[in-house]
Amino acid sequence: MTGIPQERYEISSDPARLDAARIHTWLSGDSYWARGRTREHQDRAIAGSLNFGAYDLATGEQSGYARVVTDLATFAWLCDVYVDRTARGQGLGGRLVAAARDHLAPTGVRRFLLGTADAHGVYEKAGFRALDNPDQWMCLRFA
């Protein structure tokens, strides 16, 4: 149809499609939250998580990534959302977040959390809101 842009990216949760080396380069070298993360740690994180990749339909190249730590029953934590610099500004981050949300919706997960320093607008579009009672949440940091 004329006037409707062709979708350029496909979102997939197939772990076999992930480009682990590329994900590690993105996160360890360009993110503020995982800078310096070792490849071993990144590979373990991928192995223990539900992962989403965004792939350029023309090249097959991975252009984005999101990871969810979850038991698929009660709780989920969205993390490591990253879009390649060449693919930013096209709504791909929002599509990754929506794909994760939609994947988890039928599981019965009651709490789907995340932390962000600078992308609140992206997550709000997918339905995320500030914690109702942040004083009820605690954190234990090992490093």
Side-chain angles (χ1 to χ4, degrees):
M1 294 176 102
T2 307
I4 299 174
Q6 172 108 15
E7 186 54 56
R8 181 174 173 187
Y9 300 98
E10 174 188 15
I11 308 293
S12 172
S13 61
D14 180 357
R17 294 184 68 184
L18 296 172
D19 184 340
R22 184 175 198 134
I23 293 166
H24 176 254
T25 297
W26 284 336
L27 297 177
S28 69
D30 194 39
S31 74
Y32 66 83
W33 65 89
R35 187 169 303 278
R37 185 182 289 169
T38 68
R39 176 67 190 268
E40 176 195 358
H41 271 82
Q42 185 59 51
D43 288 348
R44 284 189 1 225
I46 289 170
S49 302
L50 173 62
N51 302 278
F52 296 85
Y55 303 92
D56 187 308
L57 289 171
T59 66
E61 192 171 85
Q62 188 169 350
S63 298
Y65 175 70
R67 183 168 71 87
V68 180
V69 180
T70 183
D71 60 9
L72 295 172
T74 62
F75 181 82
W77 177 267
L78 178 65
C79 49
D80 290 345
V81 178
Y82 186 92
V83 174
D84 188 85
R85 289 187 175 274
T86 64
R88 292 182 184 170
Q90 302 175 57
L92 191 52
R95 286 195 55 220
L96 280 163
V97 174
R101 176 201 62 207
D102 295 349
H103 187 94
L104 290 172
T107 67
V109 166
R110 294 192 58 205
R111 287 188 177 84
F112 192 8
L113 300 176
L114 65 88
T116 185
D118 61 358
H120 295 77
V122 171
Y123 300 110
E124 287 170 350
K125 288 177 186 174
F128 285 88
R129 301 288 176 259
L131 292 172
D132 291 333
N133 301 302
D135 56 317
Q136 293 180 2
W137 292 87
M138 298 178 71
C139 176
L140 172 64
R141 292 188 182 267
F142 290 104

